[in-house]
Amino acid sequence: MTWYTDPIANDAPIISARVRLARNLKKYPFKQMMTGKEALMIIEETSGAVINDRTAIGVRFKSQDIKQLNETAKKMLIEKHIISHDLLKPELPVGLLLQDDENVSIMINEEDHIRMQTVSAGDNIAASWELANHIDDLIEESVEYAFDKDFGYLTSCPTNTGTGLRASYMIHLPMLEKTGKIKFLIPAINKFGIALRGLHGEGTEPMGSIYQISNQLTLGKSEQEIMQGLQNVTQNIIEKEKMICEKMLEKHRIDLENNVYRAYGILSFGKKISLAEAMNLLSEIRVGFYTGVLCQPKLNKNIYQVMIEIQNGHLQNRIGRKLGEEECEIYRADILREMFN
């Protein structure tokens, strides 16, 4: 089951847990200095280390040639958080290894030679780490990583040196956002080496009150310490979110219910909806679900799955052609009306 189709992803406020590991092969220069031929050799060696019949997991991966994909397919990979925009830059050959359920992906020659990520629905970061660590060990059976006994795994960006681990949660924080308290939260958690970023990570804005929260540094701490620190800070944020939600239900319940039902009405009858508006309306629906204002059974998909499927790349794939922005807004409204009626 793909993580975003799992019903657990509908439980508030954590949508998913992700572990990303950055690795480089010892015998090749970092991306900034390597040649196209070396990039191809890295793709070949990494693919051979992962895709094989030695293990049960090896047969579940397939290699995708990013440069052969059309623009719609590339957009869909970004919308599902499988690849980054950096993988689409054409300087050198790049690769993508993707597990059949899309819960594990390995970007080759992005910022580092290898960027593997595993995603689990809900807050089960331990499961994401266990799987990432297992795949990391399998790759290391065939290649030698760039590793220093004092500094750990060596990476292109110094902030990733050490464990090479970025652990993160995708988290829904509508109450902190609406009350404006989130702007005070960001500098406070930065002091603990934790960052709060937009929907697609660094340099992006939140949509539908969804943020990524992750560790900033990987040097000088073990993987367990990094994940525990992230969990502690995230739990504190969740408690603040819940407290505000409880106060809203107690003192401003009519306003909360009004927002939820207005969102439901627009999604049920709207004829043209932008992506930003749709994400905000779906955020209200998610609030309605976990506060009990709305019953979940009527909608057969979890809200974050809907958020993915109404983005432009997914719409174009569904319609079968490139769409202008206004066409996307019309088709988006069509899909949402069908879902909510």
Side-chain angles (χ1 to χ4, degrees):
M1 177 186 292
T2 303
W3 69 267
Y4 56 79
T5 66
D6 192 322
I8 295 174
N10 242 15
D11 295 340
I14 294 179
I15 297 170
S16 66
R18 182 188 74 163
V19 164
R20 191 202 72 195
L21 294 176
R23 299 288 187 260
N24 288 281
L25 277 58
K26 182 179 180 179
K27 65 180 180 180
Y28 296 107
F30 285 171
K31 180 182 176 180
Q32 294 84 345
M33 301 296 293
M34 68 187 184
T35 64
K37 182 179 179 180
E38 288 169 329
L40 288 170
M41 294 172 70
I42 291 168
I43 294 171
E44 182 180 350
E45 290 188 33
T46 304
S47 299
V50 176
I51 303 175
N52 55 63
D53 56 7
R54 301 195 316 268
T55 63
I57 200 168
V59 298
R60 297 184 59 186
F61 279 89
K62 287 187 177 179
S63 176
Q64 294 198 11
D65 187 341
I66 295 295
K67 293 186 178 180
Q68 295 301 314
L69 297 178
N70 61 36
E71 291 305 309
T72 295
K74 292 175 183 177
K75 281 184 180 179
M76 290 176 66
L77 290 172
I78 289 174
E79 291 166 0
K80 290 188 284 188
H81 301 272
I82 289 172
I83 66 170
S84 67
H85 285 92
D86 286 345
L87 198 69
L88 302 180
K89 294 176 181 177
E91 299 97 343
L92 292 168
V94 297
L96 173 66
L97 307 180
L98 189 60
Q99 190 171 270
D100 50 18
D101 60 6
E102 299 187 348
N103 293 338
V104 184
S105 59
I106 302 172
M107 294 185 290
I108 308 175
N109 297 331
E110 190 236 27
E111 183 176 288
D112 293 287
H113 297 159
I114 298 172
R115 283 281 181 94
M116 69 186 83
Q117 75 166 14
T118 58
V119 188
S120 303
D123 62 357
N124 195 355
I125 203 160
S128 295
W129 162 246
E130 183 178 357
L131 183 54
N133 191 41
H134 175 61
I135 295 169
D136 188 38
D137 289 342
L138 289 177
I139 295 175
E140 199 167 17
E141 289 178 4
S142 301
V143 303
E144 185 177 2
Y145 288 142
F147 184 85
D148 182 89
K149 64 181 180 64
D150 295 319
F151 294 104
Y153 293 101
L154 304 180
T155 56
S156 294
C157 180
T159 59
N160 291 320
T161 295
T163 61
L165 168 68
R166 284 292 173 97
S168 65
Y169 291 115
M170 188 179 293
I171 188 168
H172 186 217
L173 302 173
M175 300 302 169
L176 282 163
E177 186 176 85
K178 284 182 181 182
T179 57
K181 293 184 178 180
I182 199 144
K183 65 183 178 182
F184 302 108
L185 189 67
I186 294 172
I189 66 173
N190 284 346
K191 295 176 183 177
F192 295 93
I194 303 294
L196 196 65
R197 298 187 171 99
L199 179 60
H200 288 280
E202 189 171 1
T204 66
E205 295 295 322
M207 294 184 72
S209 303
I210 294 176
Y211 295 80
Q212 284 190 26
I213 182 169
S214 64
N215 64 296
Q216 289 182 291
L217 301 175
T218 71
L219 185 63
K221 292 184 178 181
S222 69
E223 291 88 350
Q224 288 70 27
E225 288 172 329
I226 289 170
M227 289 186 286
Q228 188 61 58
L230 176 66
Q231 287 175 311
N232 292 344
V233 172
T234 303
Q235 189 57 45
N236 187 269
I237 293 172
I238 290 171
E239 291 303 320
K240 287 179 169 53
E241 175 74 16
K242 287 181 177 178
M243 284 175 61
I244 298 172
C245 188
E246 288 169 2
K247 286 182 181 178
M248 286 290 291
L249 286 168
E250 180 185 348
K251 298 182 178 180
H252 305 284
R253 188 178 184 91
I254 293 297
D255 291 331
L256 189 150
E257 290 180 345
N258 184 55
N259 290 337
V260 171
Y261 287 126
R262 278 178 176 271
Y264 200 97
I266 296 172
L267 292 169
S268 298
F269 299 103
K271 298 291 288 184
K272 193 169 82 167
I273 302 178
S274 70
L275 178 59
E277 182 185 13
M279 295 287 275
N280 288 331
L281 293 170
L282 288 167
S283 173
E284 295 287 0
I285 297 298
R286 199 168 190 271
V287 171
F289 283 165
Y290 67 70
T291 57
V293 172
L294 291 176
C295 297
Q296 294 195 32
K298 185 174 181 181
L299 196 63
N300 295 323
K301 297 179 180 180
N302 73 59
I303 292 299
Y304 191 69
Q305 182 180 356
V306 179
M307 287 178 167
I308 289 176
E309 293 179 356
I310 62 168
Q311 294 184 52
N312 290 9
H314 280 75
L315 289 178
Q316 290 178 170
N317 182 65
R318 180 169 179 158
I319 302 302
R321 63 179 176 86
K322 187 175 182 179
L323 301 172
E325 193 56 45
E326 185 174 20
E327 286 183 300
C328 283
E329 292 181 359
I330 293 169
Y331 281 119
R332 183 177 295 115
D334 290 344
I335 292 167
L336 290 167
R337 282 201 314 275
E338 183 181 340
M339 288 180 179
F340 284 87
N341 281 290

